[in-house]
Amino acid sequence: MGKKTGAAHIVWDWNGTLFHDNDAIIGATNAAFAELGLEPITMEQYRALYCVPVPKFYERLLGRLPTDAEWLVMDETFHRYYSEQHAACSLASGATELLADWQSAGGSQSLLSMYGHEDLVPLVRKFGIEAHFIRVDGRTGPSGGSKAEHMVRHLAALGDVDPARAVVIGDAADDAVAAQHAGARAVLYTGGSHSRASLEEVGVPVVDTLADAVAEAQRLAA
């Protein structure tokens, strides 16, 4: 699919954006914290403090960076717990219709996630939305880092999609950082891992619904 006149190319984030997995995320985070004897945190605390790279998030709660050994234990615990719990989660409200409507209106879209690629693809397929995307990329390599270089590779792999016409829709400040790094725009959604206050510090449009995010993406690319 080539570039479309009058329509942005949307690069969707997965966790916390299209996939409403907040309960599994906070449960997995608290399971990881328990490995170090930390008290559990609430979703409100998580949304106020979460950042990437993830060891920096842990530093905000530990008062220091975790050691390499602690990080490995916490990361393994997080992913094990998440893999057990995310099956109970669903797509964000209205996501399937938004994806279908954008495609039928002539817009192109892709998916880039920091969730492991081998786990992401079957999950997207399970929800029956794979055909809406011209490319689906999950993380390859170690977890816990920024999306920036992944975004550059993702946009390059799309071929004839101009980064200047691409808009990233995500729920984390790092989505906007990654978009800027790759020469794209960003819209941030308040339904996931960050509070509105922390998202507004980034300096890109912040919206409360995915429908508003799509409308804003179209405006930015106009």
Side-chain angles (χ1 to χ4, degrees), residues 100-122:
D101 289 349
W102 185 258
Q103 183 181 27
S104 63
S108 63
Q109 55 200 331
S110 57
L111 177 60
L112 174 63
S113 174
M114 294 299 280
Y115 190 43
H117 185 76
E118 292 182 359
D119 296 315
L120 173 69
V121 172

Side-chain angles (χ1 to χ4, degrees), residues 30-211:
N30 283 329
F33 287 170
E35 291 290 330
L36 267 63
L38 292 172
E39 292 296 315
I41 63 171
T42 65
M43 178 56 74
E44 288 72 26
Q45 289 171 310
Y46 179 92
R47 283 162 51 84
L49 294 172
Y50 180 75
C51 64
V52 296
V54 177
K56 293 290 289 183
F57 168 51
Y58 291 159
E59 181 183 25
R60 292 180 172 185
L61 293 141
L62 279 171
R64 60 175 174 81
L65 279 170
T67 66
D68 290 346
E70 287 171 337
W71 162 251
L72 288 174
V73 169
M74 294 175 82
D75 191 50
E76 191 277 332
T77 301
F78 177 93
H79 285 98
R80 184 179 69 247
Y81 186 98
Y82 181 83
S83 69
E84 295 168 355
Q85 299 297 317
H86 79 268
C89 301
S90 60
L91 293 179
S93 177
T96 302
E97 293 79 7
L98 283 170
L99 294 171
D101 289 349
W102 185 258
Q103 183 181 27
S104 63
S108 63
Q109 55 200 331
S110 57
L111 177 60
L112 174 63
S113 174
M114 294 299 280
Y115 190 43
H117 185 76
E118 292 182 359
D119 296 315
L120 173 69
V121 172
L123 189 54
V124 172
R125 197 167 287 153
K126 184 189 85 168
F127 284 111
I129 57 174
E130 185 182 22
H132 296 311
F133 305 111
I134 61 174
R135 187 176 180 90
V136 174
D137 283 331
R139 173 186 49 78
T140 56
S143 63
S146 172
K147 191 181 265 189
E149 293 303 326
H150 295 269
M151 185 67 69
V152 172
R153 289 194 294 271
H154 179 78
L155 288 172
L158 296 178
D160 57 357
V161 171
D162 180 0
R165 301 280 294 165
V167 180
V168 177
I169 297 178
D171 69 313
D174 189 57
D175 290 304
V177 172
Q180 182 179 29
H181 184 74
R185 314 279 190 89
V187 180
L188 297 179
Y189 162 64
T190 62
S193 62
H194 279 44
S195 66
R196 171 174 273 279
S198 62
L199 293 178
E200 287 178 339
E201 293 176 4
V202 185
V204 302
V206 177
V207 298
D208 295 321
T209 70
L210 292 183

